[in-house]
Amino acid sequence: MPALQWTESEYQAYLRRQEEKQRPRRDGSMSEAALQEHIRALARRFGWLVYHTHDSRGSAPGFPDLVLCKPGRLILAECKTERGKVTEAQQQWIDMLRHSVPRVAAYVWRPSMLEDIARILTS
């Protein structure tokens, strides 16, 4: 089977879709994808390794969206829109990580928390 190759127009369409994901919504809110990308960029800027499972089908439900690692620190973060609801499985993971694993920080992060997120990642 030949390797998948995009035409120039297919590639440009892909880039437009990625750009649209990052753009704030009409109501000024930020999508979960845009929040995740913002956090990933900020984390990389300050020397964190960042992991995100792009396709979670087949994975255990509820595991946090982002894993951020830096010497001596490990952060797991579930990213939500301002009105996004944390599922029971997501809350179970966050609670277990917060209370059972020493020196691991687990958060639910929302767009309104960007200043706090930046402070955490730069401290």
Side-chain angles (χ1 to χ4, degrees):
M1 178 173 224
L4 174 67
Q5 291 186 329
W6 285 347
T7 65
E8 183 62 24
S9 63
E10 289 170 330
Y11 178 65
Q12 292 303 321
Y14 167 79
L15 291 178
R16 280 191 301 278
R17 286 191 306 273
Q18 296 307 307
E19 185 179 304
E20 287 171 15
K21 284 184 192 175
Q22 309 312 318
R23 202 174 289 148
R25 296 175 177 171
R26 287 185 189 146
D27 65 0
S29 66
M30 181 183 273
S31 70
E32 190 174 304
L35 175 61
Q36 284 181 22
E37 187 53 39
H38 180 85
I39 293 168
R40 285 194 300 252
L42 184 63
R44 287 188 192 110
R45 179 176 175 205
F46 291 104
W48 294 82
L49 288 177
V50 181
Y51 175 79
H52 169 69
T53 301
H54 290 282
D55 184 354
S56 61
R57 290 177 292 185
S59 297
F63 192 78
D65 294 315
L66 298 174
V67 178
L68 302 109
C69 186
K70 194 173 186 176
R73 297 193 59 199
L74 180 65
I75 294 175
L76 292 101
E78 179 61 37
C79 298
K80 291 291 181 191
T81 62
E82 287 305 324
R83 292 188 274 178
K85 298 197 183 332
V86 177
T87 68
E88 188 176 321
Q90 289 167 335
Q91 192 61 57
Q92 185 178 17
W93 270 105
I94 294 294
D95 291 343
M96 186 65 70
L97 290 163
R98 277 183 184 158
H99 302 295
S100 301
V101 183
R103 301 183 49 95
V104 169
Y107 300 98
V108 175
W109 280 341
R110 298 179 187 277
S112 61
M113 303 168 76
L114 290 176
E115 287 183 22
D116 292 333
I117 295 166
R119 185 178 37 73
I120 290 165
L121 295 177
T122 58
S123 63

